[in-house]
Amino acid sequence: PDQVLEKYRLNDLQLMLSHELAHLKRGDLLWNWIPELGQILFFFHPLLRVSRLRLKQIQEIACDYSAIQYSKAAPVEYGSLLLKAAIHFNGEIDNWQTAFYGPKPKTILKNRLAALKSIPIWSRRAILITSLFMGLIGLIFIIPWSVTAEVPDGNWRSIIYPGDALSAQLRENRIINFWCDRYADYHKRIAMDENDIEATVLLGRIYYLLGDYHQAIKYLKRAPIYDYKWAKWATLTLGWCYDGLGDRQKALKYYNQIYWWEFFGLVQESIATAARLGREAPHNPLKIVKFDPEVTDERLSADGWTATANYRQDIVNHAFDGDPLTQWHTTQPQKPGMFYQLDLGQTQLVNRVILIDDAYGSTVYVSDYPRKYKIEISTDAQNWHTVISEMGNLNCYAGACFKPIRVRYIKITQLGRRSPENWAIYELEVYSPRN
């Protein structure tokens, strides 16, 4: 329209066109027929109208993201354009409703501006799946049926440390100290920005690990369902929290929600596996440490250590820098042949190796464990001896325990394949017998 050409700068017009072209590229107009048909078939169901409006809002947010990425514009510039458009259309009801779809355009505008801080990506596949799911809502509420996992007999699974109980307690205290450091950091972030969803979910996760399940639930339930990146982690940890409280039915409710997301291809393998394990038996917060050091073992100092890897050589030292939050990772999906080789600097007596892949439980990224691996040792980096070769496990740290032997080089090789998950080592622990 002429009035738009008169009132907006060229950069603004480019952003507008980028947004509308994103709708065309994603095929939103075509996919919108699916919820429209659902509305026709189940016109009597009130949730379908709410879901249909929510889908359109998500489409707008997704196209906002595409427009920013394509034009390389700053989010604040795009947000200013949205405000300018709102002021321009104010009073013109039809145009206002078109630009900010829904019965409450001011609320929609507020949501779109808030989403610019951390906007999720919704692909055409996700929109299609969401539309199909909304079409099934009517059936789900009309036909009385539910998905419920069988509660297994017997006690909760317990973490068993092969080493001395004192060693397990020392490890636990060291980990709790680390959690407390992160606890203060996330509280500061939330105090500065109450909409910091990442800090909110991670803080809820730490409350869970510290055993304060009620506080964990309080923070985890703040994660909005449209922030898909964090909603799936919050949902999984909520199931763990209710398991911790002994409320098995509520825990299963959240595990079953992930079951549906898995059914529609919306969650990655590690989350789906964790949820399936939760359906089978109540979850424990700490990973099993099959190779926990004996009380007589001593963790070697990383002074003088160096490392080489065939992926991300620039960050190999993150695996032994003493900071569990930093990590060496491949960036690429897991595949056979990836390796990480540690040089202790000199020959030392070694009997245990442990690969920490989850920042001692404080991170929600639980999918970076090696799917299959082998650990080799050597004194000259030429002649290698394999001490272990086995499948990785979501609930157990990778590692090896062997008779004390003089070693200088330790090589961990990826034998499995997994996409899109990469392989990461947050901390590489190497132990020597004290005596």
Side-chain angles (χ1 to χ4, degrees):
D2 293 338
Q3 57 179 333
V4 173
L5 294 175
E6 294 172 359
K7 292 188 176 183
Y8 292 92
R9 298 173 302 149
L10 179 60
N11 288 344
D12 292 339
L13 294 174
Q14 289 176 337
L15 287 174
M16 288 181 177
L17 288 175
S18 297
H19 178 97
E20 299 307 323
L21 289 173
H23 279 299
L24 292 175
K25 183 177 180 180
R26 292 165 54 85
D28 288 343
L29 295 177
L30 178 62
W31 299 125
N32 282 342
W33 278 104
I34 297 176
E36 294 296 334
L37 291 174
Q39 181 69 32
I40 294 172
L41 293 174
F42 303 103
F43 61 90
F44 51 84
H45 204 298
L47 287 182
L48 281 176
R49 175 172 173 77
V50 175
S51 300
R52 187 165 58 95
L53 292 175
R54 186 62 190 151
L55 173 62
K56 291 186 179 295
Q57 291 180 42
I58 290 171
Q59 289 176 338
E60 293 301 320
I61 291 173
C63 289
D64 289 342
Y65 179 87
S66 296
I68 290 173
Q69 284 224 320
Y70 176 78
S71 63
K72 308 298 182 184
V76 67
E77 180 183 354
Y78 192 86
S80 299
L81 174 61
L82 289 179
L83 287 173
K84 186 188 298 184
I87 295 171
H88 174 66
F89 289 130
N90 191 14
E92 302 179 27
I93 301 300
D94 291 339
N95 288 336
W96 176 267
Q97 293 278 11
T98 301
F100 305 102
Y101 190 96
K104 298 180 179 179
K106 291 183 179 179
T107 301
I108 296 171
L109 173 61
K110 181 179 178 181
N111 291 341
R112 289 177 67 179
L113 290 173
L116 292 178
K117 295 180 180 179
S118 177
I119 193 164
I121 303 174
W122 285 75
S123 64
R124 286 177 291 178
R125 180 189 177 198
I127 295 294
L128 172 60
I129 292 172
T130 303
S131 301
L132 292 173
F133 179 73
M134 289 190 303
L136 293 173
I137 288 179
L139 294 175
I140 292 174
F141 282 90
I142 293 172
I143 303 175
W145 65 285
S146 62
V147 179
T148 305
E150 181 182 356
V151 180
D153 297 329
N155 298 324
W156 286 24
R157 292 176 295 175
S158 59
I159 298 178
I160 300 175
Y161 295 87
D164 188 274
L166 175 62
S167 172
Q169 186 173 354
L170 290 173
R171 169 181 286 273
E172 183 177 347
N173 290 338
R174 176 160 56 86
I175 296 172
I176 286 178
N177 288 335
F178 171 71
W179 288 340
C180 289
D181 290 340
R182 303 282 73 73
Y183 165 90
D185 178 55
Y186 294 138
H187 263 296
K188 289 179 182 177
R189 287 175 54 179
I190 294 172
M192 294 176 62
D193 181 7
E194 62 181 10
N195 294 318
D196 189 335
I197 302 302
E198 177 182 9
T200 300
V201 173
L202 290 174
L203 182 59
R205 166 86 168 154
I206 288 178
Y207 271 121
Y208 162 72
L209 292 168
L210 294 174
D212 193 342
Y213 302 125
H214 292 289
Q215 277 291 94
I217 292 170
K218 171 185 172 182
Y219 281 95
L220 293 167
K221 284 190 173 181
R222 293 183 185 179
I225 192 66
Y226 65 79
D227 194 332
Y228 178 66
K229 176 181 178 181
W230 293 107
K232 56 188 178 183
W233 292 111
T235 301
L236 176 64
T237 312
L238 281 168
W240 291 350
C241 287
Y242 283 110
D243 264 343
L245 292 171
D247 192 337
R248 188 64 177 147
Q249 291 305 314
K250 282 190 177 179
L252 288 172
K253 168 188 171 183
Y254 289 100
Y255 297 144
N256 287 336
Q257 185 172 337
I258 294 176
Y259 168 85
W260 278 109
W261 289 349
E262 180 191 12
F263 179 79
F264 287 109
L266 296 176
V267 295
Q268 61 201 81
E269 175 258 357
S270 58
I271 300 177
T273 300
R276 284 197 296 270
L277 291 172
R279 285 159 56 88
E280 294 170 5
H283 180 79
N284 275 303
L286 293 176
K287 278 194 172 188
I288 297 172
V289 185
K290 293 196 302 183
F291 311 104
D292 201 54
E294 301 283 354
V295 69
T296 56
D297 292 343
E298 181 178 11
R299 185 176 176 182
L300 296 180
S301 169
D303 292 342
W305 288 10
T306 58
T308 57
N310 56 356
Y311 286 86
R312 293 307 304 270
Q313 175 66 32
D314 57 317
I315 56 173
V316 290
N317 64 311
H318 286 180
F320 54 85
D321 61 0
D323 184 353
L325 276 187
T326 61
Q327 56 171 295
W328 168 80
H329 56 88
T330 58
T331 305
Q332 301 296 321
Q334 297 186 29
K335 63 181 180 180
M338 292 177 166
F339 73 84
Y340 183 94
Q341 182 174 312
L342 179 66
D343 180 358
L344 301 178
Q346 60 182 343
T347 301
Q348 301 191 55
L349 197 62
V350 173
N351 67 338
R352 294 175 191 268
V353 178
I354 302 174
L355 280 65
I356 304 300
D357 56 49
D358 66 346
Y360 298 111
S362 66
T363 177
V364 295
Y365 296 105
V366 296
S367 62
D368 296 340
Y369 66 94
R371 294 315 191 264
K372 187 178 181 181
Y373 67 97
K374 70 175 178 178
I375 297 179
E376 301 171 285
I377 55 177
S378 174
T379 57
D380 58 7
Q382 298 295 325
N383 301 298
W384 295 94
H385 172 66
T386 301
V387 293
I388 194 170
S389 178
E390 69 173 14
M391 300 296 294
N393 192 304
L394 176 68
N395 281 341
C396 180
Y397 291 126
C401 176
F402 43 90
K403 291 182 179 180
I405 186 173
R406 300 202 68 81
V407 170
R408 175 169 175 175
Y409 299 95
I410 300 172
K411 185 177 183 180
I412 305 103
T413 304
Q414 172 74 247
L415 302 178
R417 187 183 300 274
R418 188 68 206 177
S419 180
E421 289 86 356
N422 68 179
W423 172 33
I425 302 175
Y426 284 77
E427 283 294 301
L428 181 54
E429 299 182 356
V430 181
Y431 289 85
S432 174
R434 189 181 299 272
N435 297 323

